Amino acid sequence: MDPLRERMERLYPLCRSLTGDGVRESLAILAETVPLELRTAASGTPVFDWTVPPEWNARAARITDAATGRVLVDLADHTLHLVSYSVPFRGRLSRAELEPHLHSLPDRPDWIPYRTSYYARDWGFCLTQRQRDALGEGPFDVDVDTSLAPGELTYGELLVPGASVEAGEVLVTSHLCHPSLANDNLTGLTVAVELARRLAERPHRLGYRFVFAPGTIGSLVWLRDHPDVLPRLRHVLVLTGLGGGGPLVYKRSRPGDAPLDLAAAHVLRHRGGRLIDYAPYGYDERQFNALGFGLPAGRLTRTPHGEYPEYHTSADDLGFVTDEELYDALAAIEEIFGVLEGEATYRALQPYGEPQLGRRGLYPAVGGRTASEASMAMLWLLACSDGGTSVREIADRAGLPFALLRRAADDLVGAELLAPV
Ligand code: ZN
């Protein structure tokens, strides 16, 4: 089986939340592929305007028909059945008493919704509308066997060092707090781990730091824990929702014209993706872009959250994501990193007319043929390398892929027609 698919299949059934055993088990699976360091923050730790919550673990949760003993809803069947962070509860309830604790989707009668109650102490069950309609009048025995106790928030981190510390770092982050939802966010986790594995096997200039943490509070804990790293961060990329259909969608950072924004725009233009502007709603790009940190954080998804009906429901299952989508996202991210790695500015050393490329073995010797893309890449670089215009800017103007211009620039430097500024 495809290794990315296998990773998602193992992660899918685990009961993840902001904290707890499901998070640790998930990090252990990710750590089989790359050497993750696990870090923790104790419950009650103040983190900027937030506090690390108590650790939550769910052993069992079910609704049983009191008369027949028949189990009607069971956490063991699907992690989405229990509202995340449900407080412990045991009791016999009438249908009317149970109702306020039930969540279903009347318009999607076969889907289970995903609900959380992180900061309001409550318990609840999510079920399909069909299950809800068939519950009967009760009474019901409800057993929510959970614990909320002092413990810790756990996150995983890995630095794949670059060749030059001065070049700075790229932070890639993906949230780890959702239970059995494939697109949101097993896709982000599995693609990020594969990126880390590939980067560790080849040389690169920039350092790449990967963080797998629960949404919002996890990112804030990471930001609090790393004041020394923040000045080295040049680019932050949030990965989530990389499957589920539709083209890739890059959400710009708050400044909107950060180098990562320009690199992503270049790559998605060639790959048929879509760009959207920053808005202070969404995933952890909100935390990194916050005024106090001012880090340029972009986000890559396909159809953004909330814009597809399967979002935050049991229909976001493993069948909702294809292997092709994962590998296409990987290729796009590697291209974006290729732009960040290879971006440079040159000055033409023979600016008085077009230099004679044929004599240098750089141009097809037979005249009259249409110039190949490789030749066009050289001509664009020679025409526009004024010492102030970068390779990526010239690639955008030429409508050619960055990688093609990057190779051509190397050839032209070798032929002493371009010099780095
Ligand atoms: Zn989500």
Side-chain angles (χ1 to χ4, degrees):
M1 187 193 289
D2 177 84
L4 275 61
R5 171 71 43 181
E6 192 204 351
R7 193 176 304 142
M8 289 208 306
E9 289 200 351
R10 290 175 60 204
L11 291 167
Y12 183 76
L14 301 179
C15 188
R16 278 173 297 275
S17 187
L18 293 184
T19 60
D21 293 334
V23 172
R24 284 185 282 265
E25 288 165 32
S26 301
L27 287 168
I29 290 175
L30 301 183
E32 290 172 15
T33 306
V34 290
L36 278 188
E37 265 184 65
L38 299 194
R39 299 184 195 278
T40 60
S43 300
T45 306
V47 185
F48 304 108
D49 201 40
W50 298 68
T51 305
V52 175
E55 183 173 322
W56 182 73
N57 283 291
R59 282 174 292 276
R62 61 180 70 87
I63 302 172
T64 308
D65 185 282
T68 64
R70 198 161 66 90
V71 177
L72 301 168
V73 184
D74 194 343
L75 172 65
D77 294 336
H78 206 299
T79 65
L80 294 183
H81 275 320
L82 181 64
V83 170
S84 195
Y85 262 73
S86 281
V87 298
F89 177 81
R90 178 170 278 186
R92 181 163 289 187
L93 272 66
S94 69
R95 177 74 193 247
E97 290 166 324
L98 180 61
E99 269 299 317
H101 298 280
L102 300 181
H103 307 271
S104 59
L105 299 167
D107 296 344
R108 302 281 181 180
D110 293 313
W111 297 359
I112 308 165
Y114 167 51
R115 296 283 185 271
T116 65
S117 188
Y118 295 142
Y119 301 104
R121 289 182 68 86
D122 197 2
W123 60 268
F125 284 86
C126 302
L127 66 174
T128 70
Q129 186 62 41
R130 286 192 209 288
Q131 276 177 303
R132 190 173 188 163
D133 293 343
L135 282 178
E137 286 313 307
F140 304 95
D141 284 330
V142 174
D143 182 12
V144 180
D145 183 9
T146 58
S147 60
L148 272 163
E152 59 197 24
L153 176 152
T154 316
Y155 67 90
E157 179 169 10
L158 164 71
L159 172 65
V160 185
S164 142
V165 176
E166 294 73 41
E169 291 183 12
V170 182
L171 177 68
V172 179
T173 177
S174 211
H175 65 271
L176 175 75
C177 49
H178 288 32
S180 305
L181 298 167
N183 192 35
D184 181 18
N185 184 34
L186 300 185
T187 58
L189 296 170
T190 205
V191 165
V193 165
E194 178 62 10
L195 275 172
R197 191 191 67 76
R198 292 183 183 187
L199 283 161
E201 286 182 349
R202 60 170 188 247
H204 41 86
R205 193 172 57 89
L206 295 156
Y208 291 83
R209 191 178 290 267
F210 291 82
V211 173
F212 304 101
T216 307
I217 183 73
S219 291
L220 291 171
V221 167
W222 184 87
L223 284 157
R224 186 200 71 132
D225 285 353
H226 292 74
D228 51 324
V229 173
L230 301 189
R232 294 206 292 276
L233 287 185
R234 301 284 186 276
H235 324 276
V236 179
L237 180 61
V238 176
L239 296 180
T240 175
L242 296 170
L248 288 168
V249 176
Y250 176 80
K251 175 181 170 180
R252 293 186 181 93
S253 70
R254 182 167 52 81
D257 60 351
L260 177 63
D261 298 325
L262 302 172
H266 173 82
V267 169
L268 291 201
R269 189 174 301 132
H270 288 279
R271 299 183 72 92
R274 190 156 69 86
L275 300 172
I276 56 176
D277 281 329
Y278 185 72
Y281 185 70
Y283 293 95
D284 284 322
E285 65 276 11
R286 284 144 43 226
Q287 313 313 330
F288 296 98
N289 277 300
L291 289 168
F293 304 116
L295 294 164
R299 186 191 76 195
L300 193 68
T301 63
R302 288 188 191 277
T303 310
H305 60 97
E307 295 180 24
Y308 53 97
E310 296 85 355
Y311 171 70
H312 279 190
T313 76
S314 57
D316 178 3
D317 60 12
L318 292 168
F320 187 54
V321 172
T322 67
D323 294 358
E324 291 69 31
E325 289 170 329
L326 300 179
Y327 283 99
D328 176 65
L330 264 168
I333 299 161
E334 291 198 298
E335 271 188 54
I336 292 169
F337 290 172
V339 177
L340 299 178
E341 289 283 332
E343 175 67 320
T345 303
Y346 295 94
R347 187 166 51 83
L349 297 178
Q350 298 282 350
Y352 304 102
E354 187 176 297
Q356 208 181 337
L357 295 177
R359 156 161 86 77
R360 296 176 169 88
L362 295 172
Y363 203 61
V366 184
R369 295 213 320 239
T370 309
S372 69
E373 281 198 332
S375 302
M376 285 309 298
M378 285 193 202
L379 296 177
W380 274 107
L381 284 163
L382 292 168
C384 300
S385 290
D386 54 6
T389 309
S390 75
V391 174
R392 198 267 313 149
E393 287 171 306
I394 298 170
D396 276 340
R397 185 164 178 191
L400 293 170
F402 177 87
L404 194 66
L405 269 81
R406 183 59 266 171
R407 280 195 297 276
D410 290 338
D411 289 345
L412 292 171
V413 169
E416 297 184 342
L417 291 172
L418 288 185
V421 175

